Amino acid sequence: MSFACHLDKAAQNDEPTTIVVFGASGDLAKKKTFPALFHLYQNGLLPKRTKIFGYARTQMDHAEFHKRVVSHFKSDADKEKVSEFLAICKYVSGKYDVDDDFERLRAEIDAAEADENVNTLPDRVHVYYMALPPSVFVSVATHIKKNVYDESCVNRIIIEKPFGHDSESSKQLSQDIGALFEEKEVFRIDHYLGKEMVKNIMTLRFANVFYEAVWNRHYVSNIQITFKEPFGTEGRGGYFDEFGIIRDVMQNHLLQVLSIVAMNQPKTLDAEDIRDRKTEVLRRILPIQLEDTLLGQYVGTHDGSKPGYKDDDTVPKDSNTPTFAQCVMHVDNDRWRGVPWVIKAGKALDEAKMLIRIQFKDMPSALFPNLARNELVIQVSPKEAVYLKTIVKKPGLSTRLAMSELDLTYSKRYHDIKIPDAYATLILDVLNGDHSNFVRSDELEEAWRIFTPLLHKIEDESVVPFPYEYGSRGPKGVDEFTSERANYKRT
Ligand code: NDP
Ligand code: BG6
């Protein structure tokens, strides 16, 4: 293999490191950030002299903080490792807009570094993780820069989505953050970029001669990128109603995946070369039209066992926020011109699934008329898999044909390998200073350019989404939309 794997890189990286998790009392910190940090710790992937600080307004002692830190660890976590890990985790309570509080944090960091005798080393790394609502991003970033940022070491800031609400607000956020931190210090997390099968797309495409040969408009009929969740916004209705499914999932996760499937080969595996190629292809995507979009909002089940979106008390009764959307997109370049891309995302659907389905063109065979189409499916979750729908002779005495699969299901082929959580992978990338799997500001600008006109039109014209029942496949017409608008033929 010519490129380094994470383990190789982590083994080389042993700079004294301080990680501060802002919003340490919150949901993301508890469910994702601390479990990911522990995963790295127990696998020996955190630099040896790492200290972790949690910072939030909530008053709590270390015992309470530690209880929260471990609350989402796997039940079989090694107890000894857990207590070693907790010994490097400390909590500082403070407000998000008070200089004195940030100065106290800085003093704690300085003291911890002095204890380890690393306070004068220039290769120290400080990571500031913003597990916070976007309303306080800028205030916290400003106070970090003013009171905590250390010119004498490497500083990195991790920002969680949403990165703005539309083109204008995102530009403002980029400007505000850009005035405080250099782009090389900023890591915008889109956790889909840390998922195993998303990281695998480049390898599949650029390390296998046969995939790259057919990865274009001459062979591909249409591409679908689908995200389905079997649960509604339970408990998050208030947050969700401000954003809707397009901002929550499509503009970021699905578009990021699309850009990797669609991009041309980067010059090297360097982060900037990869991000150049992704941005380049995003620039060739035309803004999405309302006419090319199907919107839905889930309603309760007939038997009353599952609630509708608007049954949530935190959602306004007249909300038109879509919980389902399906769009046809076009990439206007020589590789993809004429190939429709259907991206679909929905909550409260019939199953949990995230996949990329590449359907090839009809086989113009004189020997076998009316063949079903080949498809390459990359399943991101729940079970990682790549399978190629392939026509074979029906085994046995029959001379008929059958659709079968060349099947690479990871749980069967790699049953002894545990696939790490996306957050563990991405935090490790930050520790290694690798931006490949993070969103650059120009990519972000393009992503909002593609979606903002549609979002504004939906809101300005109060477009009413079509209802669909909780647990169904989506609003009426969802399948016809794909067959009629994208020429998809069910195989
Ligand atoms: P929370 O609502 O749990 O907020 C995190 C912490 O921020 C809270 O514990 C609270 O800490 C503080 N906080 C909450 N509301 C406010 C407010 N209005 N003003 C100031 N401080 C506030 O958020 P999450 O942890 O769910 O999410 C954090 C970020 O991560 C968000 O940007 C979110 O969009 C993103 N994200 C979250 C995911 C998840 O699974 N939860 C998944 C992907 C992204 P205290 O009061 O103690 O200061
Ligand atoms: C988050 C969205 O970014 O991604 C959630 O805000 C969604 O609404 C989640 O449920 C899906 O992530 P995953 O990793 O569970 O597919």
Side-chain angles (χ1 to χ4, degrees):
M1 284 276 195
S2 60
F3 52 90
C5 74
H6 270 138
L7 206 69
D8 300 335
K9 285 202 233 168
Q12 290 158 17
N13 165 16
D14 211 13
E15 293 93 9
T17 299
T18 300
I19 301 168
V20 187
V21 181
F22 292 92
S25 56
D27 192 59
L28 179 76
K30 173 175 76 182
K31 289 193 187 143
K32 298 289 184 186
T33 318
F34 290 120
L37 287 167
F38 176 64
H39 177 89
L40 295 177
Y41 179 81
Q42 72 170 349
N43 286 289
L45 298 173
L46 282 187
K48 281 192 201 71
R49 290 160 297 174
T50 296
K51 296 277 179 221
I52 297 169
F53 288 90
Y55 183 98
R57 298 172 306 182
T58 303
Q59 298 283 347
M60 57 181 147
D61 59 19
H62 285 308
E64 171 59 22
F65 173 57
H66 286 173
K67 215 160 99 190
R68 292 195 192 198
V69 166
V70 301
S71 62
H72 281 68
F73 285 8
K74 295 215 168 80
S75 51
D76 60 355
D78 178 331
K79 287 206 174 76
E80 207 175 310
K81 288 275 174 208
V82 172
S83 47
E84 277 172 31
F85 177 74
L86 290 177
I88 62 167
C89 294
K90 200 166 178 185
Y91 184 68
V92 177
S93 165
K95 299 218 164 57
Y96 299 127
D97 53 0
V98 175
D99 284 332
D100 286 352
D101 291 352
F102 283 84
E103 276 170 18
R104 264 193 307 109
L105 172 65
R106 170 69 193 255
E108 292 278 0
I109 296 172
D110 288 347
E113 288 183 340
D115 273 355
E116 290 278 346
N117 281 327
V118 297
N119 48 332
T120 53
L121 298 182
D123 61 351
R124 283 169 303 130
V125 176
H126 284 182
V127 175
Y128 313 112
Y129 192 126
M130 309 267 258
L132 286 165
S135 54
V136 291
F137 282 176
V138 176
S139 171
V140 172
T142 306
H143 285 84
I144 291 173
K145 188 64 196 277
K146 186 170 170 204
N147 309 110
V148 188
Y149 187 94
D150 188 338
E151 304 276 353
S152 71
C153 72
V154 176
N155 293 273
R156 297 180 182 137
I157 183 162
I158 305 178
I159 307 181
E160 277 285 347
K161 73 174 246 284
F163 314 121
H165 205 253
D166 57 10
S167 288
E168 205 179 316
S169 54
S170 168
K171 198 167 159 198
Q172 186 62 53
L173 180 63
S174 288
Q175 271 173 13
D176 293 343
I177 299 288
L180 300 163
F181 292 88
E182 288 179 50
E183 184 66 20
K184 69 169 194 247
E185 296 175 320
V186 180
F187 291 77
R188 294 178 194 82
I189 281 206
D190 183 310
H191 76 279
Y192 267 66
L193 294 179
K195 292 195 183 246
E196 181 68 26
M197 296 314 280
V198 175
K199 291 174 69 134
N200 194 22
I201 298 170
M202 275 195 17
T203 312
L204 271 183
R205 289 192 53 194
F206 302 124
N208 292 291
V209 68
F210 44 92
Y211 287 134
E212 189 51 10
V214 295
W215 214 265
N216 57 56
R217 68 191 162 90
H218 302 296
Y219 292 93
V220 173
S221 164
N222 59 80
I223 300 183
Q224 294 176 54
I225 300 179
T226 303
F227 167 97
K228 292 166 87 177
E229 270 183 347
F231 45 84
T233 57
E234 286 98 325
R236 285 179 82 212
Y239 154 83
F240 188 87
D241 203 66
E242 253 187 74
F243 292 91
I245 196 75
I246 298 177
R247 289 186 177 94
D248 191 43
V249 171
M250 282 186 156
Q251 181 271 349
N252 32 65
H253 305 329
L254 300 197
L255 191 65
Q256 282 295 322
V257 171
L258 185 154
S259 69
I260 303 170
V261 177
M263 73 181 184
N264 285 332
Q265 180 166 324
K267 276 189 242 147
T268 71
L269 287 170
D270 283 353
E272 296 322 317
D273 285 338
I274 295 171
R275 301 196 297 178
D276 283 351
R277 284 292 188 245
K278 285 169 67 195
T279 312
E280 187 181 279
V281 82
L282 288 174
R283 290 206 174 103
R284 307 304 302 176
I285 299 179
L286 311 173
I288 301 166
Q289 304 300 311
L290 184 57
E291 304 72 65
D292 291 331
T293 307
L294 175 68
L295 301 174
Q297 189 187 74
Y298 67 90
V299 295
T301 48
H302 283 310
D303 63 6
S305 60
K306 291 289 182 189
Y309 176 64
K310 285 192 281 204
D311 295 331
D312 183 332
D313 289 340
T314 59
V315 172
K317 293 290 166 242
D318 59 351
S319 169
N320 284 330
T321 299
T323 58
F324 172 98
Q326 186 172 27
C327 317
V328 188
M329 300 171 69
H330 298 277
V331 181
D332 186 29
N333 66 8
D334 288 348
R335 188 192 278 264
W336 296 118
R337 194 162 296 117
V339 177
W341 295 68
V342 176
I343 61 169
K344 174 165 87 178
K347 296 214 169 249
L349 292 177
D350 56 334
E351 60 181 343
K353 198 155 272 184
M354 161 67 201
L355 53 75
I356 304 156
R357 184 181 298 277
I358 299 171
Q359 183 169 72
F360 293 95
K361 289 192 166 171
D362 291 319
M363 171 79 178
S365 168
L367 294 182
F368 304 110
N370 304 319
L371 290 170
R373 290 175 169 178
N374 297 122
E375 281 180 11
L376 175 69
V377 180
I378 302 172
Q379 185 158 305
V380 175
S381 62
K383 285 188 181 142
E384 292 84 358
V386 185
Y387 52 94
L388 182 62
K389 290 193 160 193
T390 303
I391 295 168
V392 296
K393 186 188 90 59
K394 216 171 174 191
L397 295 178
S398 169
T399 53
R400 291 167 64 186
L401 306 186
M403 178 58 91
S404 194
E405 290 96 33
L406 299 181
D407 180 359
L408 174 59
T409 295
Y410 272 39
S411 57
K412 290 187 202 148
R413 179 69 177 79
Y414 299 115
H415 44 83
D416 49 347
I417 293 181
K418 271 200 183 147
I419 294 182
D421 180 69
Y423 276 88
T425 309
L426 293 173
I427 293 173
L428 186 55
D429 283 344
V430 175
L431 296 175
N432 285 318
D434 180 354
H435 276 92
S436 315
N437 297 307
F438 294 85
V439 183
R440 204 167 64 186
S441 64
D442 51 353
E443 270 182 85
L444 185 60
E445 197 178 323
E446 290 304 319
W448 281 117
R449 177 191 58 77
I450 294 164
F451 282 94
T452 296
L454 172 70
L455 288 162
H456 284 178
K457 199 165 169 107
I458 292 171
E459 281 146 15
D460 294 348
E461 296 182 7
S462 303
V463 177
V464 180
F466 291 102
Y468 62 96
E469 194 177 334
Y470 194 123
S472 69
R473 302 190 65 247
K476 202 163 159 253
V478 54
D479 293 327
E480 291 76 5
F481 183 96
T482 323
S483 51
E484 285 162 20
R485 308 301 294 276
N487 187 25
Y488 173 71
K489 292 190 189 164
R490 189 163 283 279
T491 55

